[in-house]
Amino acid sequence: QVQLVESGGGLVQAGGSLRLSCAASGRTFSDYARGWFRQAPGKERELVAIISASDGNILYADSVQGRFTISTDNAKNTVYLQMNSLKPEDTAVYYCAADRAYSHLRGIVAAYWGQGTQVTVSS
Protein backbone atom coordinates (compact mmCIF):
# COMPACT_ATOMS: atom_id res chain seq x y z
CA GLN A 1 0.00 0.00 0.00
CA VAL A 2 1.41 3.35 -1.06
CA GLN A 3 1.36 6.06 1.57
CA LEU A 4 2.59 9.64 1.85
CA VAL A 5 2.84 10.84 5.43
CA GLU A 6 3.46 14.51 6.23
CA SER A 7 4.96 15.76 9.47
CA GLY A 8 6.45 18.93 10.88
CA GLY A 9 3.42 21.16 11.00
CA GLY A 10 2.47 23.20 14.04
CA LEU A 11 1.94 26.63 15.49
CA VAL A 12 4.58 29.30 14.90
CA GLN A 13 4.77 33.06 15.26
CA ALA A 14 5.00 35.29 12.23
CA GLY A 15 8.58 35.48 11.03
CA GLY A 16 9.35 31.99 12.26
CA SER A 17 10.28 28.84 10.39
CA LEU A 18 9.02 25.30 9.98
CA ARG A 19 10.27 22.30 8.03
CA LEU A 20 7.71 19.92 6.65
CA SER A 21 8.61 16.36 5.71
CA CYS A 22 6.72 13.89 3.55
CA ALA A 23 7.86 10.30 3.84
CA ALA A 24 6.71 7.83 1.23
CA SER A 25 6.26 4.11 1.63
CA GLY A 26 5.03 1.30 -0.58
CA ARG A 27 7.03 2.34 -3.63
CA THR A 28 9.98 4.47 -4.68
CA PHE A 29 9.17 8.00 -5.83
CA SER A 30 12.55 9.02 -7.24
CA ASP A 31 11.02 8.94 -10.74
CA TYR A 32 7.91 10.88 -9.71
CA ALA A 33 7.37 14.61 -9.64
CA ARG A 34 6.58 15.64 -6.08
CA GLY A 35 5.23 18.71 -4.48
CA TRP A 36 3.52 20.62 -1.73
CA PHE A 37 0.08 22.14 -1.80
CA ARG A 38 -2.02 23.92 0.78
CA GLN A 39 -5.64 24.64 1.52
CA ALA A 40 -6.87 27.35 3.84
CA PRO A 41 -10.42 27.34 5.28
CA GLY A 42 -12.93 28.40 2.67
CA LYS A 43 -10.36 28.44 -0.10
CA GLU A 44 -9.38 26.10 -2.90
CA ARG A 45 -6.28 23.97 -2.72
CA GLU A 46 -3.30 25.78 -4.22
CA LEU A 47 0.15 24.85 -5.42
CA VAL A 48 3.00 25.83 -3.10
CA ALA A 49 6.06 24.19 -4.68
CA ILE A 50 6.69 21.30 -7.04
CA ILE A 51 9.85 19.59 -8.25
CA SER A 52 10.38 17.56 -11.38
CA ALA A 53 12.02 14.14 -11.16
CA SER A 54 13.48 14.26 -14.66
CA ASP A 55 15.40 17.54 -14.58
CA GLY A 56 14.97 18.94 -11.07
CA ASN A 57 12.92 21.85 -12.36
CA ILE A 58 11.19 23.67 -9.49
CA LEU A 59 8.10 25.85 -9.51
CA TYR A 60 7.09 28.02 -6.57
CA ALA A 61 3.93 29.96 -6.02
CA ASP A 62 4.62 33.70 -6.24
CA SER A 63 3.43 34.09 -2.66
CA VAL A 64 6.18 31.83 -1.28
CA GLN A 65 9.04 32.53 -3.72
CA GLY A 66 12.17 33.41 -1.79
CA ARG A 67 10.78 32.17 1.53
CA PHE A 68 10.10 28.46 0.93
CA THR A 69 12.46 25.80 -0.40
CA ILE A 70 11.47 22.37 -1.67
CA SER A 71 13.99 19.54 -1.68
CA THR A 72 14.11 15.78 -1.95
CA ASP A 73 16.14 12.97 -0.44
CA ASN A 74 15.67 9.95 -2.68
CA ALA A 75 17.62 7.70 -0.32
CA LYS A 76 14.96 8.41 2.30
CA ASN A 77 12.10 8.57 -0.23
CA THR A 78 11.22 11.91 1.34
CA VAL A 79 10.38 15.41 0.14
CA TYR A 80 10.82 18.47 2.33
CA LEU A 81 9.48 21.99 2.47
CA GLN A 82 11.58 24.50 4.39
CA MET A 83 9.39 27.48 5.25
CA ASN A 84 11.03 30.68 6.46
CA SER A 85 9.69 34.14 7.23
CA LEU A 86 6.25 32.69 7.77
CA LYS A 87 3.23 34.97 7.54
CA PRO A 88 -0.29 34.59 8.95
CA GLU A 89 -1.55 34.11 5.40
CA ASP A 90 0.54 30.93 5.17
CA THR A 91 -1.86 29.32 7.64
CA ALA A 92 -3.36 26.24 5.98
CA VAL A 93 -3.35 22.49 5.83
CA TYR A 94 -0.30 21.47 3.81
CA TYR A 95 -0.40 18.38 1.62
CA CYS A 96 2.34 16.57 -0.22
CA ALA A 97 1.63 14.80 -3.47
CA ALA A 98 3.33 12.75 -6.15
CA ASP A 99 2.61 11.98 -9.78
CA ARG A 100 4.56 10.70 -12.77
CA ALA A 101 3.70 13.85 -14.69
CA TYR A 102 5.03 17.23 -13.55
CA SER A 103 2.28 18.81 -15.63
CA HIS A 104 -0.33 17.02 -13.54
CA LEU A 105 1.02 18.56 -10.35
CA ARG A 106 0.96 22.00 -11.98
CA GLY A 107 -2.74 21.37 -12.49
CA ILE A 108 -3.09 20.26 -8.86
CA VAL A 109 -3.78 16.70 -9.94
CA ALA A 110 -1.83 13.82 -8.40
CA ALA A 111 -1.89 10.07 -8.23
CA TYR A 112 -0.93 10.12 -4.56
CA TRP A 113 -1.79 12.55 -1.76
CA GLY A 114 -0.81 12.69 1.86
CA GLN A 115 -3.33 13.27 4.64
CA GLY A 116 -2.14 16.81 5.36
CA THR A 117 -0.48 18.62 8.23
CA GLN A 118 -1.74 21.83 9.82
CA VAL A 119 0.43 24.93 9.78
CA THR A 120 -0.79 27.88 11.83
CA VAL A 121 1.07 31.19 11.85
CA SER A 122 0.07 33.65 14.55
CA SER A 123 0.50 37.39 14.17
Side-chain angles (χ1 to χ4, degrees), residues 77-97:
N77 217 16
T78 298
V79 59
Y80 302 98
L81 185 68
Q82 178 66 44
M83 306 186 294
N84 298 329
S85 302
L86 282 160
K87 305 175 181 180
E89 51 263 43
D90 294 319
T91 295
V93 177
Y94 283 71
Y95 300 89
C96 69

Side-chain angles (χ1 to χ4, degrees), residues 5-32:
V5 180
E6 300 98 335
S7 61
L11 173 64
V12 64
Q13 288 188 330
S17 298
L18 284 174
R19 187 194 194 204
L20 304 183
S21 300
C22 174
S25 62
R27 67 150 292 135
T28 299
F29 282 94
S30 58
D31 57 342
Y32 273 57

Side-chain angles (χ1 to χ4, degrees), residues 27-120:
R27 67 150 292 135
T28 299
F29 282 94
S30 58
D31 57 342
Y32 273 57
R34 285 169 281 182
W36 291 92
F37 302 80
R38 67 187 182 188
Q39 187 165 17
K43 295 188 177 181
E44 293 187 351
R45 190 169 298 189
E46 63 176 356
L47 182 153
V48 175
I50 57 175
I51 183 167
S52 168
S54 59
D55 58 9
N57 187 41
I58 294 174
L59 175 66
Y60 292 102
D62 289 345
S63 59
V64 307
Q65 180 77 47
R67 299 188 297 122
F68 291 11
T69 303
I70 187 171
S71 62
T72 60
D73 185 336
N74 289 332
K76 295 182 178 180
N77 217 16
T78 298
V79 59
Y80 302 98
L81 185 68
Q82 178 66 44
M83 306 186 294
N84 298 329
S85 302
L86 282 160
K87 305 175 181 180
E89 51 263 43
D90 294 319
T91 295
V93 177
Y94 283 71
Y95 300 89
C96 69
D99 196 280
R100 285 196 179 276
Y102 179 79
S103 61
H104 287 180
L105 292 186
R106 289 192 66 169
I108 313 183
V109 172
Y112 303 101
W113 289 94
Q115 83 290 348
T117 185
Q118 176 70 46
V119 171
T120 303

